[in-house]
Amino acid sequence: MIINFSKLKEKGVRKIFKLEDGPTDGVLERRLFIANNDAASTRIICNQINAEKNQRPTAKYWIAFVPKITKVCDLLLEEQGVYGYVHILELPLSFIPLDTDLFSLEQESIHDMLYLRKNQTAISNISRAIQQLFSILGGCAKFTGVGKSTHMAFKLSDVNGLANGVARPKIDHLIAIDREVDYYSLLLSSLNYQGLLDETFQIKCAKIEIPSDIAAKEGVQLRKYLAQSSDPIFKHIRDSHLSIASADLKRIAAELKDNMPKSQEMSIQEMKDFIQKELKNKKASQRALKLHISLCEIIMEKKKENEFGRLLTLERNIMEGAEYRDCVNQLEELIICQKSPLIALRLLCLLSLSNDGIAYKDYHQLMKLFLHSYGHQHLITICNLNRLKLLYRQGNKSLLSSPNTSMTNVINQSKAAAMSALPKRSQLRNLVRKFNLTPEPSAESNSKDASFVFGGNFVPIVYRITESVLNGSWVSLKEQLSPLSKFITTSSFTEKTTGGAKPVIAVLMIGGITYAEVSALRFLSQQKNFDLIILTTNMVNGDKFLTNLMAP
Amino acid sequence: MSTNKSHQLWSDTGKADDFWEYSKPMSFNFEDDADIDSLYDQKVSTVTSVKPTEILSKPQAPDTVKLMSPEEATLRVNQSLQKISNKSYSTPTSSNKIEACIRALINGENPNFSIFKSKEDKLSLLEAAINSYDGDTIIAVIIFLEKTLCWRIFAMELLIRPTAVDHYIDFLRETNRTKDLTDFLAMIGRSEEAAIVNYANAIKCEHMETRIKHLKHCYNNFFKDLQDELYSPAIMEQITLYEYQLPVDAADSKIMEPSERYQVMPCSSFLGSSVITTLFYSIVHHSNNPATHFGSPQTIRNNHNISDKQYYWTASRALAKTARWTEIDNLFHYQTFLGSKKIRNIIPFDRVVRILGNEKAPQPLMHTYLKLVDDDDLKLKLTQEFLR
């Protein structure tokens, strides 16, 4: 994504390896390791160097840590006796452009580090990257942060001078949001084309690996497809609902066929021009079109296999808190049948989020079934989700901390029963009401509201925040956003604006953003007519997110 | 570049060097060293010149020993004492030193920690690190504190700072110091987390017998007293499951080829698979064994308190996968006490039709269950889907 191999070859790089545990190809004398600054990668490097440093005393090693070396890495290098054999470099990678409006640090571990392990090392990486970006783009005029990490990133940047280049700000507003604020958008199934592509084929650094069977069928030479706006067809359909996208594809296919001029009607000169200029383009778009159509077909097939319609209804019911008993039963069935554990976990988390925890009895029943179906090692998964407050039983805390369980249990249970008897609104219900997150289903294909990215089930919170920043008054903004998080940071550096025809809004999502949310934001930028820059620590989807949290 | 910078930051290095004189032989230790030296001298001299009996008789009078004169000794002690009173331990190092240290850490430099001697200095350094919001800086200060404070004080001071606790735990986890991590978590009352950390290590073991041993050890040490209704029973259950799998796997691998064993299985290894997968396997391979046989599905059902729903779903999936249609019929049909035949209504019939249809079951069988679907729309949909 950053540099291609031929460039590196010019500079004398002979081979590139992926960092993996195990013995290495020992031919190379001089080696550069490029590694994330975590303990696991450092350990692998230490092992490799230690394994061969006696046999190859002449070998030279460099380690480039992204974005900088941490104390833990430093300590490990020292402990393993590798210091003295290596030269340490720092590679302060900043945002990588995945598209013209989408920039990502592509560091997947940041979410777990910040929210699960509560290690704030990444905060400084983020703030450094923002400053780096601002030194190129010019500063921002206003800042709004929702969530604790954004608050910390803001404070840390403030020390080092976030207001850098404020004299001529290029960005009107930087909106920073914690992933913690909206886990719903992460767990719901996305229905926009790019989101579905990501969930079905996994987009890695804007690239999709095309399954070999399609590649063979379509005669595509490229095994990897670059999903970027450089492909006009892709740009046209990526943010649409799948049904609209596939309809559009059909329409474009028909148009392309019609526009092919009849060779009999052309003069020789016209024909020559056509072949020279247009034919190549037409062929390329035809190829792209074919590819997208077959990708769509695979997505449809996969969805049918998993009874996607049922899943969407289930999601809607869970989000609305409707038919609770039926939801639990369907979930049980899904788990007993050993359907994908990721789907089961996504729904379990949604159920827990939507009800502020799963009722005591149901929680234990569901967890027992889950462990039975997918293996007991998932105790670790459950523990992780517990700590993120994504999956827990009602009255969880008090049960754990009380030493005298038998008695307090009874009291707590009766308490919980009494609580659930009261018509208390859960946190989600409150948010939904305040921010109108589940709009009434309107007529099909009416894309007036952003919930289309989740099949009408939910509007991404990031969309609503951006909307209120645009619409609301600056003074009341803080209060307006307060239900979302305890940490709301607002700061105005300068009254000046960019002065351009369109305002420029940058949205930073700490802990990852989904393609569904990206589509929703693009939709908003078209409606409200502003230039959008999306910044994030990594691209994520529910499956990727949960896989990281799952037991090996 | 960086050395230059740090030099500027530490312009008052002279003062720090001053401080260091402390450990030079001007302190109380000097006296001890002198004593040992003098004893040594005494020995050497006595061995060569005096008889052993003489040593015993007059050990108090070593004329060859060079002793410090009382005046000299007093002088030295006074000097030491003076130094102590001059350099009071309780004086906090000026706050700008702390600030400079934190800034250096944020910029990725290695500042000199040794100037922070007093507990107060160390703690204000920790506070400053926490307020900087930079995780790596916090960890660096914690490493320094752990090295230079006694465990009790260190732990007590961390406890009142949750951010520091989080970073310390993560540091221990990253550096694989499981023992310390367990102790620390247990100390701060997060025994559930401590138990899970050890559990995660126990199940990493590849060899099944050792894994069981580790699990048992883990259960006895951490989970037994946890009184948790999810974790503790689950681990006991896991041990039971593995103890069932081991002999069955040993017996089956003798009589069956791997290709035969795993032909219809969703997994490639029987050892370590989940309860439901084990049940599935057992129904595929051992359902004809008597219920008392160790490998039979009945054993799993009893061991793990398998609900009817779980059993019938798994059984119908397993039987459909292996195309044992008559057995499916036997599974759902049963005779009542009075002798009339009935069909169990545990799984919704539309789901049964779906399972059968997906495995291309014979049409008459499908009809039997399709007839039982109540919802007409659903019935129509299923007919269109599976009975073409």
Side-chain angles (χ1 to χ4, degrees), chain A residues 43 117 119 333 360 405, chain B residues 170 174 227 229 237 351:
Chain A
R43 240 178 236 123
R117 290 157 47 187
N119 182 333
E333 186 190 308
Y360 187 86
T405 25
Chain B
D170 195 50
E174 282 280 278
Q227 304 237 354
E229 285 152 78
E237 198 177 57
R351 313 301 293 167

Side-chain angles (χ1 to χ4, degrees), chain A residues 93-149:
Chain A
L93 271 187
S94 182
F95 289 105
I96 299 166
L98 297 181
D99 212 325
T100 47
D101 59 349
L102 183 61
F103 301 85
S104 165
L105 288 173
E106 290 298 281
Q107 296 210 357
E108 241 179 64
S109 58
I110 284 183
H111 176 275
D112 294 356
M113 249 179 124
L114 273 180
Y115 306 113
L116 183 67
R117 290 157 47 187
K118 301 201 187 301
N119 182 333
Q120 300 165 4
T121 305
I123 297 283
S124 70
N125 302 351
I126 295 166
S127 85
R128 192 169 291 119
I130 294 173
Q131 284 165 47
Q132 219 168 331
L133 191 80
F134 280 3
S135 66
I136 303 167
L137 288 178
C140 69
K142 282 187 175 121
F143 174 89
T144 302
V146 185
K148 196 179 173 192
S149 311

Side-chain angles (χ1 to χ4, degrees), chain A residues 37-40 43 68-72 74-76 79 90 113 117-125 128 148 151-153 155-156 159-160 304 307 310 329 332-333 335-339 360 363-365 367-369 371-380 382-384 386-387 393 399-400 403 405-406 409 413 551, chain B residues 105-110 113 130-140 143 147 163 166-167 170-171 173-177 190 192-193 196 199-200 203-204 223 226-231 233-235 237-238 241-242 266 272-277 280 304-307 309-311 313-314 317 348 350-351 354-355 385:
Chain A
N37 54 6
D38 54 39
R43 240 178 236 123
K68 63 168 194 171
I69 183 166
T70 58
K71 275 283 153 322
V72 174
D74 189 75
L75 207 72
L76 276 173
E79 278 176 6
E90 292 188 347
M113 249 179 124
R117 290 157 47 187
K118 301 201 187 301
N119 182 333
Q120 300 165 4
T121 305
I123 297 283
S124 70
N125 302 351
R128 192 169 291 119
K148 196 179 173 192
H151 177 74
M152 293 194 288
K155 285 278 176 197
L156 192 59
V159 176
N160 300 336
K304 203 180 151 197
E307 297 178 69
R310 245 174 73 139
N329 285 339
E332 278 185 8
E333 186 190 308
I335 295 169
I336 291 174
C337 294
Q338 293 187 300
K339 288 272 161 59
Y360 187 86
Y363 177 82
H364 278 274
Q365 174 67 7
M367 288 308 113
K368 181 193 150 199
L369 293 178
L371 293 175
H372 273 180
S373 281
Y374 306 109
H376 288 92
Q377 73 274 16
H378 285 295
L379 275 178
I380 301 170
I382 295 171
C383 181
N384 283 341
N386 242 310
R387 273 167 47 204
R393 64 182 163 216
L399 277 178
L400 279 178
T405 25
S406 54
N409 255 357
Q413 272 176 30
Chain B
L105 281 171
I106 290 175
N107 291 336
E109 291 155 21
N110 279 322
F113 276 123
I130 291 170
N131 289 333
S132 80
Y133 298 110
D134 183 36
D136 205 36
T137 304
I138 300 174
I139 290 177
I143 294 174
K147 264 189 217 153
T163 315
D166 289 332
H167 283 81
D170 195 50
F171 167 69
R173 201 190 305 266
E174 282 280 278
T175 44
N176 283 352
R177 283 165 58 184
R190 282 153 76 170
E192 183 191 284
E193 238 177 291
I196 288 287
Y199 171 76
I203 59 165
K204 261 187 209 150
F223 286 97
L226 207 58
Q227 304 237 354
D228 182 88
E229 285 152 78
L230 175 67
Y231 294 104
I235 288 172
E237 198 177 57
Q238 191 173 14
L241 177 68
Y242 288 163
S273 59
S274 71
V275 174
I276 295 292
T277 309
F280 191 99
H304 297 286
N305 206 1
I306 297 283
S307 72
K309 240 183 179 176
Q310 279 174 301
Y311 181 74
W313 267 110
T314 314
R317 275 166 56 221
D350 59 303
R351 313 301 293 167
R354 224 168 250 288
I355 294 176
E385 209 171 319

